[in-house]
């Protein structure tokens, strides 16, 4: 079980209704072990996926057909931005780069902000060379 808590003068308090419902499952008087960490900014996480959707929509039909899915496009941009690791592909018998996990428990907020900036730069310099960063960010507001 994982839930978001806010530290108050009265103790840790569930942040959202879902977190409250999870906390209610805990038995009173029971001892629990908890790992405390500062969560990544969910709004920034959503902005990242909005940026990918915006870029996907700005691609040519030919480029979208080449990638097939928005997810494969996202992963390609992430690898091109250098946020990847090398693994050995047994069938190809060669080392390939695969994107690192962007799961909340796998990447800190600072690392995610760096990923965002690096992927944005790849999108603008490789895939969307026909628009400026200002035009892109103006379009992104609508996502």
């Amino acid at each position: 079980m994982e839930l978001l808590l806010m530290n108050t003068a009265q103790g840790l308090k569930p942040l959202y209704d879902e977190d409250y419902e999870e906390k209610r499952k805990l038995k009173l008087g029971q001892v629990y072990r908890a790992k405390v960490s500062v969560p990544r900014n969910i709004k920034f996480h959503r902005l990242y996926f909005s940026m990918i959707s915006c870029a996907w929509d700005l691609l040519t039909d030919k480029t979208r057909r080449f990638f097939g899915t928005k997810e494969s496009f996202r992963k390609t941009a992430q690898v091109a931005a250098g946020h990847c690791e090398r693994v050995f592909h047994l069938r190809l018998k060669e080392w390939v780069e695969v994107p690192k996990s962007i799961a909340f428990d796998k990447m800190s907020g600072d690392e995610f902000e760096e990923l965002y900036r690096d992927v944005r730069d790849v999108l603008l310099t490789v895939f969307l060379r026909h628009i400026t960063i200002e035009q892109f960010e103006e379009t992104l507001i609508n996502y």
Side-chain angles (χ1 to χ4, degrees), residues 107-124:
M107 187 178 283
S108 73
D110 290 341
E111 290 172 315
F112 193 77
E113 286 185 36
E114 182 181 339
L115 167 76
Y116 180 93
R117 284 190 307 272
D118 293 345
V119 169
R120 183 195 60 204
D121 291 347
V122 166
L123 294 175
L124 291 167

Side-chain angles (χ1 to χ4, degrees), residues 120-138:
R120 183 195 60 204
D121 291 347
V122 166
L123 294 175
L124 291 167
T125 59
V126 177
F127 298 106
L128 305 172
R129 290 178 287 193
H130 59 284
I131 64 173
T132 66
I133 188 169
E134 292 82 13
Q135 291 169 319
F136 180 68
E137 289 181 351
E138 186 176 311

